[in-house]
Amino acid sequence: MDVTSGGESSVWISSFSYYTVTTILATLVVLAVVKRYNFMQRCNKVLGAPTEIPLFGGGSLIFVPPAEIMNLLLLLHVVFGRISPSGIIRAWIGPLPMFFATTAEAVEAVLSSNKIITKSREYDFLHPWLNTGLLTSTGSKWQTRRKLLTPAFHFKILEDFVHVFNEQSRILVNKLNQAVAKDKDLNIFPFVTLCTLDIICETAMGRNVEAQSKMDSAYVQAVYNMSQLIQYRQVRFYLWSDWMFKLSSYWPEQRKALGILHGFTNKVIQERKAEHQKRSSNIVEPSKDVTEDTDFSKRRRLAFLDLLIEASQGGTVLSDSDIREEVDTFMFEGHDTTSAAISWSIFLIGSHPEVQEMVNEELDRVFGDSDRPATMADLSELKYLECCIKEALRLYPSVPIISRTCVEDTVIGGDEIPAGTSVSICSYYLHRDPKYFPDPELYQPKRFLAEHSERRHPYSYVPFSAGPRNCIGQRFALMEEKAVLSAILRNFHVQSLDKRDEMVLLAELILRPRDGIRIRLEPKKTQ
């Protein structure tokens, strides 16, 4: 037997295998590099900041402190947005391209599309809490849910919620009176946030968590903690990966918060379903003495949860987990967004005495000297106050960035956005387009009087998004905001203590001021 020959054969086979594997790996690397190069070339055809790192993208945007994100986005839009022929611009956030629609025409192309309806990857961080409810779902599931939930926001159903707005606004005014007795200067943001949390809990679930009175409530704290965890994760690229996040110290915190949030919602759903079953098996004819003028507190109040249970048809249309998705979504969407809108409105009204005077005149005209609670008809009469809110949402949109994922190659204004990438609308910038809003930095509520707004491009102002995925609860939000603001302004004169150009803005889940909103409240004398 020729041992030498066998040994040489083994060496030859090993060498062949080594070179084969090396060649295959080298080929795969070259193909990946070529694919990445071609992808970046496609992206870089869209006007934007130069690529900082070849074959990678941009490094600087990854490490931007949260307090600088809005300034950097504004700079990007100012430098490139007004000169882009298509209205689309590009930036690199690490290896990820981000496209922005900067003009009303480009925004219309994005938001009016029935194909660009999938939310971007940034919304994935909401899935552990909201799963795939109306906010985060897409395709046929989203279309089915949207059709199912739209009747829940019918005008007559919303009318019942005015009583909740009034009750919680009254508690807010009492809390503010107590605070003013100690110090007339205060940060209004946390007061309003607790009020809107109470309102959404009662309107969404039919349960009063008494957030304004019991700030140590486990559910209230879990809402805050979960919101903060999502915000924290969104601005730290190294936590974007699920496995990296699960290795961090924030994962146990999230699991604890989710246990409380889902446990509370599940408990309320079961209790509410039991109440439904009891009523359906024990129906009593209404008394002839009950009239439309009967005190509302004596009648049963419907919540969004009740409407979902009725629509579920015993679980055949919506399961308990489906119902929880939508209730949790209402809780998330209807809490921080309205508190931000109310707080920014107070700040801007308190910064402009002439505007506050006109608001007071309108409140006197509608309510006179009475301290009666507001009715739906009253809220409908507060036209100028509504203009004040809309102008506040123009300058400080509650949701400063709206993002969608292009599921296929999409051409907007001649620029191609590759499939799988995100296109965003920075409404904070869009709402400052001088083409539609002359002197855009001025606070001028009259912009939203009918004679001034009816000729404006419908996609130049999108505080509630627009198109097929517009905010389903925008009428609810405006009603709530008018109810809470009117209650505050009927009881207090407001003076803002901060200057707009000195405020640091944080683009988190909502647009919030880093240091709160400081105001001085002067109780109005009882007439």
Side-chain angles (χ1 to χ4, degrees):
M1 182 175 178
D2 190 345
V3 177
T4 304
S5 176
E8 290 176 351
S9 177
S10 297
V11 170
W12 183 86
I13 292 172
S14 298
S15 299
F16 176 79
S17 300
Y18 171 78
Y19 286 120
T20 300
V21 171
T22 302
T23 302
I24 292 172
L25 289 175
T27 302
L28 291 174
V29 169
V30 170
L31 289 174
V33 169
V34 171
K35 183 179 180 181
R36 176 66 181 175
Y37 175 80
N38 290 336
F39 174 73
M40 292 189 69
Q41 288 294 101
R42 288 179 66 195
C43 293
N44 286 337
K45 288 180 180 179
V46 179
L47 185 66
T51 303
E52 296 172 310
I53 305 172
L55 296 177
F56 179 74
S60 59
L61 282 176
I62 293 179
F63 302 103
V64 174
E68 294 298 323
I69 289 176
M70 283 306 299
N71 289 336
L72 197 63
L73 284 177
L74 198 59
L75 178 64
L76 181 72
H77 281 69
V78 167
V79 173
F80 299 105
R82 300 288 185 232
I83 62 173
S84 170
S86 66
I88 301 293
I89 62 174
R90 169 204 38 82
W92 287 96
I93 303 177
L96 303 176
M98 178 69 80
F99 298 92
F100 291 92
T102 64
T103 64
E105 294 74 18
V107 169
E108 180 175 16
V110 175
L111 295 183
S112 67
S113 170
N114 285 311
K115 294 183 178 180
I116 314 176
I117 62 170
T118 301
K119 295 297 180 76
S120 66
R121 64 176 66 88
E122 290 79 14
Y123 291 82
D124 291 350
F125 303 139
L126 297 170
H127 286 179
W129 182 6
L130 310 182
N131 203 356
T132 50
L134 188 64
L135 175 66
T136 51
S137 59
T138 190
S140 59
K141 180 175 181 178
W142 169 76
Q143 291 170 342
T144 302
R145 293 288 177 88
R146 178 81 184 204
K147 185 177 180 180
L148 183 70
L149 295 171
T150 296
F153 293 89
H154 187 274
F155 185 81
K156 285 300 294 180
I157 291 175
L158 295 182
E159 189 171 8
D160 276 354
F161 294 145
V162 173
H163 300 269
V164 178
F165 301 159
N166 286 330
E167 285 183 9
Q168 298 303 333
S169 296
R170 178 181 54 79
I171 294 172
L172 172 61
V173 169
N174 289 339
K175 292 292 179 182
L176 291 174
N177 272 317
Q178 292 171 17
V180 167
K182 299 175 183 177
D183 189 347
K184 292 183 179 180
D185 299 354
L186 52 83
N187 175 11
I188 193 63
F189 220 105
F191 287 92
V192 173
T193 300
L194 291 172
C195 177
T196 58
L197 183 55
D198 269 337
I199 288 173
I200 198 61
C201 278
E202 192 161 352
T203 54
M205 293 188 283
R207 292 292 184 269
N208 188 349
V209 297
E210 299 182 56
Q212 297 185 84
S213 305
K214 299 178 182 177
M215 289 180 286
D216 58 347
S217 159
Y219 183 78
V220 172
Q221 288 303 314
V223 170
Y224 282 136
N225 292 343
M226 193 63 201
S227 298
Q228 289 171 355
L229 285 168
I230 294 168
Q231 292 163 2
Y232 191 88
R233 191 178 178 189
Q234 281 184 330
V235 297
R236 287 163 178 82
F237 75 96
Y238 53 86
L239 294 177
W240 290 352
S241 165
D242 284 339
W243 69 269
M244 283 291 288
F245 181 69
K246 289 179 179 179
L247 291 175
S248 73
S249 60
Y250 303 106
W251 170 241
E253 291 183 39
Q254 177 169 293
R255 290 185 62 187
K256 180 180 178 182
L258 287 174
I260 296 170
L261 293 170
H262 290 164
F264 183 81
T265 309
N266 287 334
K267 180 173 180 286
V268 173
I269 290 171
Q270 295 308 314
E271 291 173 351
R272 213 70 176 180
K273 286 182 73 176
E275 292 171 10
H276 273 255
Q277 291 171 358
K278 185 177 179 180
R279 277 192 305 275
S280 62
S281 61
N282 188 27
I283 299 175
V284 179
E285 287 294 321
S287 168
K288 294 181 180 179
D289 295 330
V290 178
T291 68
E292 288 295 322
D293 297 324
T294 301
D295 182 8
F296 183 84
S297 63
K298 295 179 182 178
R299 295 190 283 118
R300 179 177 168 271
R301 290 180 179 175
L302 280 178
F304 288 125
L305 173 55
D306 297 298
L307 303 170
L308 290 170
I309 291 172
E310 291 171 3
S312 70
Q313 297 181 19
T316 58
V317 176
L318 292 175
S319 66
D320 286 359
S321 60
D322 293 332
I323 294 172
R324 193 192 73 193
E325 285 179 355
E326 301 307 342
V327 171
D328 286 342
T329 297
F330 288 150
M331 288 299 307
F332 170 75
E333 288 198 89
H335 167 216
D336 267 354
T337 51
T338 48
S339 68
I342 293 167
S343 297
W344 285 118
S345 296
I346 291 172
F347 166 68
L348 289 166
I349 292 171
S351 300
H352 296 80
E354 72 287 357
V355 171
Q356 187 165 183
E357 182 59 33
M358 292 182 70
V359 170
N360 286 334
E361 289 175 5
E362 181 175 71
L363 292 173
D364 289 342
R365 187 166 62 252
V366 173
F367 296 101
D369 294 335
S370 74
D371 59 356
R372 64 177 177 80
T375 65
M376 189 71 154
D378 293 331
L379 297 180
S380 298
E381 286 295 311
L382 299 178
K383 304 293 187 184
Y384 186 72
L385 181 60
E386 183 171 321
C387 290
C388 292
I389 296 169
K390 289 180 176 179
E391 177 71 342
L393 286 169
R394 182 185 71 82
L395 290 168
Y396 299 105
S398 296
V399 181
I401 301 172
I402 305 166
S403 298
R404 300 281 187 272
T405 293
C406 294
V407 295
E408 58 184 48
D409 292 346
T410 304
V411 177
I412 298 176
D415 276 335
E416 183 186 60
I417 301 174
T421 60
S422 296
V423 57
S424 300
I425 294 102
C426 181
S427 49
Y428 182 88
Y429 172 81
L430 175 71
H431 293 172
R432 285 165 165 76
D433 189 341
K435 179 179 177 180
Y436 300 107
F437 302 102
D439 297 317
E441 289 300 331
L442 297 182
Y443 179 65
Q444 296 179 335
K446 66 180 181 181
R447 297 181 201 270
F448 289 93
L449 295 173
E451 60 267 28
H452 298 305
S453 59
E454 58 188 11
R455 294 186 299 275
R456 193 177 297 139
H457 194 293
Y459 286 82
S460 63
Y461 177 73
V462 291
F464 296 103
S465 190
R469 289 210 74 152
N470 69 337
C471 176
I472 195 173
Q474 56 185 288
R475 283 198 302 176
F476 173 91
L478 276 172
M479 278 174 50
E480 177 184 349
E481 288 153 12
K482 286 201 281 187
V484 175
L485 279 167
S486 63
I488 294 172
L489 294 169
R490 287 170 69 187
N491 286 276
F492 299 99
H493 175 80
V494 180
Q495 178 186 349
S496 298
L497 302 177
D498 297 310
K499 294 181 179 179
R500 280 179 56 192
D501 56 1
E502 295 175 355
M503 301 186 83
V504 178
L505 303 179
L506 299 179
E508 299 177 333
L509 293 175
I510 61 166
L511 184 66
R512 71 171 75 244
R514 185 189 64 185
D515 304 313
I517 292 178
R518 297 181 311 117
I519 62 171
R520 178 170 296 152
L521 292 178
E522 290 283 351
K524 292 183 175 178
K525 294 180 180 180
T526 305
Q527 299 295 317

